[in-house]
Amino acid sequence: MSSVLLIIQVLLAVILTIVILLQKSASMGLGAYSGSNESLFGAKGPAGFLAKFTFFMGFLFVINTLALGYTYNQSLRDSVVDSAKFDSIKMPQVPSVAPAAPITENNTTAN
């Protein structure tokens, strides 16, 4: 479970970084490459959409960080002794009766 959350965390970090760089600033950032999409995002352009999307992605990032921390904390509480217990399912079955010796002509008794 923690590996899935870790992959999601990395993806959220990359997406959040790209969305922040796409926002309009004084130096324009990567927003210069987004073009004029006023008809797609409304009259204000992508500024309002990117602000809401950044907030949403930041919220998901924080929630995923908390879930990842909780998952790692639970895995640290597991005892080494609990993970090393020998279950009958994991142990190979040992025969309870020794195999019989093969019968040969030398082992038989004559009457």
Side-chain angles (χ1 to χ4, degrees), residues 6-82:
L6 189 61
I7 291 170
I8 293 172
Q9 186 78 359
V10 170
L11 289 175
L12 285 174
V14 169
I15 292 170
L16 192 58
T17 303
I18 291 171
V19 170
I20 289 172
L21 289 175
L22 283 175
Q23 290 184 5
K24 188 175 183 178
S25 66
S27 65
M28 197 60 179
L30 289 179
Y33 301 114
S34 66
S36 175
N37 295 330
E38 292 182 9
S39 62
L40 177 63
F41 296 111
K44 289 185 174 182
F49 172 76
L50 286 176
K52 291 176 186 175
F53 190 67
T54 304
F55 176 78
F56 179 71
M57 295 306 290
F59 180 74
L60 287 179
F61 186 81
V62 169
I63 295 299
N64 193 46
T65 302
L66 292 174
L68 195 58
Y70 179 77
T71 305
Y72 276 130
N73 191 20
Q74 291 299 320
S75 68
L76 290 176
R77 288 185 182 187
D78 292 339
S79 174
V80 175
V81 176
D82 290 339

